[in-house]
Amino acid sequence: MNLSGIRNFFWPSLCGLLLGLCILAYLPEKDGQSDFTRAVERAAPAVVNIYTTKVVQQRHPLADDPLFRHFFNRSGRVRQQLERSLGSGVIVSERGYLLTNYHVIKGADEILVMLQDGRQALATVIGSDSDTDLAVLKIDLENLNAIPVTDPGQIRVGSIVLAIGNPYGFGQTVTQGIVSATGRYGLGLSQFENFIQTDAAINPGNSGGALIDTQGRLLGINTAIYTQSGGSTGIGLAIPTDLALRTMEDLIQYGRPLRGWLGIEVQPLGVGTNGVIITALANNSPAKDAGLRIGDVLTEINGEAVGDGHAGMKLITYTRPGETVQLGLLRNDQPLTVETEVAVRPQVRGS
């Protein structure tokens, strides 16, 4: 065979081999495992079931009625009754720290955590934050599997996601869907809202569980559903990991979230318009000390547009107290730039 014949034989053969390898790379594995299976195997050991018990005081509605107390020999004493509820949580540290929703453990006298491998432990509440509906628990067990975490900013609408939790107390359950939207806010569910919306089935008991990507990495903490029937209707909401982990770190280190604060109340200029008008200034606030006035229009923070106010509020909230921000304003239609140091957001009593 001459040189030309060798070339004519070699290159088609090489191309065919490479094509075959590419096809094999995309074929299902012989053991039947898919990317979803591997993702669940990676994340599921870190998702726990949470069972809470609360002691509630009950009095009979007619306890103060003299006739009722006479004929039925009731003293009107208060009876104690145990109230139980369930939810989910996510192990985010091998040291035993868990993330869950505040509403899952609110008022609980005892919190029992059950792991996927069957182990159980009573949990201690490290801290909670009603403004984000998050709570941090700690359990003392060895060989814990912490869930891998990813940046939720990397996901896009249409990305496939999986929800893992304990719906209706059935035990650990996995559902699949897509990211329907990001940055959902204004729903009145919590003070600071920046939800990931998904159509993965989330039901009562899923609260506090994990929303993961197809590699088994944590994207958010499943928190709520929009429903009129009480069951899943294809609108589930999760707190993104960046907000959840920052809140957790603050609760562990400081006992409360440390959020930036300027001390202003604002209203948007209008739909689709960038800018918010300052309607109130708090006394002894960074905004007032910097010379801001009621009627000023805030348009930028550190060069970023504030939009209808949500983007600006998020940026200030995420700014660490003590850091300086540059504010772009309009005063009497004239541009103005002001710098001020962000303070710690005052803690609202009862939060």
Side-chain angles (χ1 to χ4, degrees):
M1 182 180 296
N2 57 28
L3 182 60
S4 177
I6 293 174
R7 288 176 177 172
N8 291 337
F9 172 79
F10 176 76
W11 286 113
S13 299
L14 179 61
C15 292
L17 177 61
L18 292 175
L19 179 60
L21 290 174
C22 291
I23 294 174
L24 287 173
Y26 285 92
L27 286 176
E29 299 182 24
K30 291 183 179 179
D31 60 5
Q33 288 193 330
S34 67
D35 288 343
F36 297 164
T37 304
R38 291 190 173 185
V40 172
E41 288 176 346
R42 190 181 186 193
V47 182
V48 302
N49 299 341
I50 294 178
Y51 302 91
T52 64
T53 304
K54 177 167 55 176
V55 178
V56 295
Q57 311 288 337
Q58 282 195 337
R59 296 186 74 222
H60 195 283
L62 298 178
D64 295 326
D65 189 322
L67 290 176
F68 175 83
R69 294 173 63 178
H70 173 74
F71 285 107
F72 292 94
N73 194 27
R74 299 289 179 90
S75 64
R77 290 179 296 179
V78 175
R79 291 185 175 184
Q80 291 187 339
Q81 183 173 342
L82 294 180
E83 186 177 283
R84 295 182 172 86
S85 60
L86 55 88
S88 306
V90 184
I91 300 172
V92 292
S93 167
E94 294 177 354
R95 293 183 295 163
Y97 290 110
L98 284 76
L99 273 170
T100 188
N101 288 133
Y102 170 64
H103 74 261
V104 169
I105 56 91
K106 181 180 179 181
D109 294 301
E110 183 178 88
I111 304 170
L112 178 66
V113 172
M114 180 176 290
L115 277 64
Q116 188 200 40
D117 61 15
R119 289 185 292 168
Q120 301 179 17
L122 292 176
T124 302
V125 179
I126 300 300
S128 60
D129 177 38
S130 60
D131 285 341
T132 54
D133 193 17
L134 287 167
V136 179
L137 311 179
K138 191 174 189 302
I139 55 174
D140 293 321
L141 289 175
E142 296 181 352
N143 302 318
L144 294 173
N145 293 287
I147 196 166
V149 178
T150 189
D151 178 8
Q154 302 298 317
I155 63 169
R156 297 291 181 267
V157 173
S159 297
I160 295 175
V161 289
L162 307 171
I164 309 177
N166 180 28
Y168 298 108
F170 281 5
Q172 193 175 91
T173 302
V174 182
T175 54
Q176 179 229 328
I178 63 169
V179 173
S180 305
T182 58
R184 287 291 193 215
Y185 67 96
L187 306 178
L189 299 175
S190 56
Q191 179 70 25
F192 298 102
E193 298 180 341
N194 187 35
F195 294 116
I196 301 169
Q197 181 183 328
T198 177
D199 66 349
I202 296 175
N203 289 290
N206 273 104
S207 292
L211 186 71
I212 65 172
D213 64 12
T214 54
Q215 297 183 51
R217 301 175 301 184
L218 184 67
L219 291 169
I221 302 297
N222 297 323
T223 297
I225 58 174
Y226 177 81
T227 179
Q228 295 178 333
S229 63
S232 175
T233 57
I235 301 179
L237 302 167
I239 301 168
T241 51
D242 53 357
L243 175 58
L245 292 178
R246 173 171 168 151
T247 302
M248 181 190 77
E249 291 168 0
D250 283 353
L251 289 173
I252 293 172
Q253 186 170 355
Y254 306 109
R256 58 167 292 196
L258 296 185
R259 299 190 175 100
W261 180 72
L262 285 180
I264 60 176
E265 291 184 11
V266 299
Q267 289 183 351
L269 290 178
V271 178
T273 303
N274 175 55
V276 291
I277 186 168
I278 297 175
T279 58
L281 293 165
N283 292 326
N284 302 316
S285 65
K288 193 160 191 177
D289 293 343
L292 272 66
R293 303 175 186 174
I294 293 175
D296 286 349
V297 177
L298 178 62
T299 58
E300 293 183 348
I301 300 175
N302 289 340
E304 295 187 25
V306 301
D308 62 359
H310 175 70
M313 183 186 75
K314 178 183 174 183
L315 197 155
I316 292 298
T317 298
Y318 279 34
T319 300
R320 283 298 184 187
E323 294 181 0
T324 299
V325 293
Q326 188 176 77
L327 308 178
L329 306 167
L330 289 176
R331 179 177 294 170
N332 299 323
D333 293 328
Q334 297 299 313
L336 177 68
T337 300
V338 174
E339 285 192 354
T340 186
E341 188 175 284
V342 174
V344 179
R345 179 176 180 268
Q347 192 168 20
V348 179
R349 185 174 297 177
S351 66

